[in-house]
Amino acid sequence: MKVGTIEPIQESEKELRLRTGISRTSGLGNNGGDNKDDGGGGGGNNGNNFPKKNPPEETLPQPTNKSRIMMGFLLLVVLMTFGGLIAAYVVISTNKAAEWQPFANLPFQVWVSTAIILASSLSYYIAKNSLLKDKTGKAKKWFMITTVLGGFFISSQLLVWFALYNDGQYMTGNPYAGFFYIMTAVHAVHVLGGIASLGYIILRTWNKANSEREIEKRKNDAVSVGWYWHTMDGLWLVLLFLLGFYK
């Protein structure tokens, strides 16, 4: 009876050992799997299973249109200057003072000047559009044509003043003649400034650009100088109307 009672006890102890061994191995297997998963997930994210985020791409700052801003302020000053001259002209011409003696006819050189400055405005338009379309060779040619036409305009203005002087039309004694000389001279000075700006544009576009930023800078400068040049064209037409028809 004692032996019979001991054997079942020994068998139960073996079963208990087997069971505890199986549970331990299964626990180790689960932990190993967890560590494997953690190791796989922690390969680049410190154990966190989150997708990697690509770093933001570096973008170059866009160049500011400083030339356009400066040109806007310059044109504001120019318009204020001519606005004062035009207002004074209108007021004095309206009074119909005895000293106010308009010219019977404008010198024909004035009409030559008008044709030249209109042609220069058209040539600048062609040059600017060519540059915006990356046709640098064509743009340089038309910029040079515009510069030459600007020089011709100044020459024609000198001929106008010589013709008036030879005809006895002086600044003193006739307010209309004084306004004619002053307004056309102020306009010619501003045209000289435009010719200088054209020379700058030609020098900038003479050599091939070595970067995209340089190309954009050239285009912005061409647009800004174009505003100035076309403004000079428009102001000349206003002066022509006042001096030729509103007198």
Side-chain angles (χ1 to χ4, degrees):
M1 295 296 294
K2 292 181 180 179
V3 175
T5 55
I6 292 172
E7 289 179 352
I9 294 172
Q10 292 177 348
E11 291 178 357
S12 61
E13 289 179 354
K14 291 180 180 179
E15 293 177 356
L16 181 61
R17 291 175 182 175
L18 291 173
R19 291 176 182 176
T20 54
I22 293 170
S23 62
R24 287 177 182 176
T25 55
S26 61
L28 291 173
N30 292 332
N31 292 333
D34 293 338
N35 292 333
K36 184 178 180 181
D37 292 337
D38 291 339
N45 298 321
N46 296 326
N48 298 324
N49 295 325
F50 295 105
K52 295 182 180 179
K53 293 183 178 180
N54 295 326
E57 296 181 357
E58 295 183 357
T59 57
L60 295 175
Q62 295 295 328
T64 56
N65 295 329
K66 293 182 180 179
S67 61
R68 299 190 185 187
I69 297 174
M70 294 177 61
M71 186 58 68
F73 283 110
L74 177 60
L75 289 178
L76 181 62
V77 174
V78 170
L79 293 176
M80 291 176 63
T81 301
F82 279 94
L85 290 173
I86 292 171
Y89 176 90
V90 171
V91 170
I92 296 177
S93 64
T94 305
N95 292 334
K96 300 295 182 181
E99 297 82 5
W100 186 263
Q101 299 175 5
F103 303 152
N105 295 303
L106 295 178
F108 77 92
Q109 291 90 345
V110 172
W111 305 106
V112 175
S113 299
T114 303
I116 291 173
I117 199 169
L118 290 175
S120 69
S121 186
L122 177 60
S123 64
Y124 192 94
Y125 177 80
I126 297 173
K128 182 200 68 175
N129 284 350
S130 299
L131 185 62
L132 294 180
K133 295 178 181 178
D134 298 323
K135 299 178 181 179
T136 308
K138 183 178 179 180
K140 287 191 295 185
K141 180 182 71 175
W142 283 100
F143 279 133
M144 294 180 68
I145 292 174
T146 306
T147 306
V148 172
L149 290 174
F152 285 164
F153 176 81
I154 298 298
S155 300
S156 65
Q157 289 297 97
L158 292 174
L159 294 177
V160 170
W161 299 329
F162 287 145
L164 291 176
Y165 184 82
N166 293 330
D167 195 31
Q169 301 291 346
Y170 308 122
M171 293 183 63
T172 58
N174 184 359
Y176 174 84
F179 271 104
F180 188 97
Y181 280 106
I182 293 173
M183 296 172 77
T184 55
V186 172
H187 182 269
V189 170
H190 284 83
V191 172
L192 285 174
I195 293 174
S197 301
L198 277 168
Y200 169 77
I201 294 294
I202 293 173
L203 291 176
R204 288 295 300 268
T205 58
W206 196 260
N207 297 321
K208 184 178 181 181
N210 53 9
S211 65
E212 291 293 333
R213 179 168 295 182
E214 174 64 20
I215 294 175
E216 290 300 321
K217 180 68 168 58
R218 293 179 180 183
K219 292 179 180 179
N220 289 331
D221 291 343
V223 172
S224 301
V225 175
W227 292 351
Y228 184 89
W229 195 261
H230 296 314
T231 300
M232 292 301 105
D233 187 2
L235 285 173
W236 175 255
L237 295 178
V238 173
L239 297 180
L240 179 65
F241 171 76
L242 291 174
L243 297 171
F245 302 99
Y246 191 85
K247 53 186 180 178

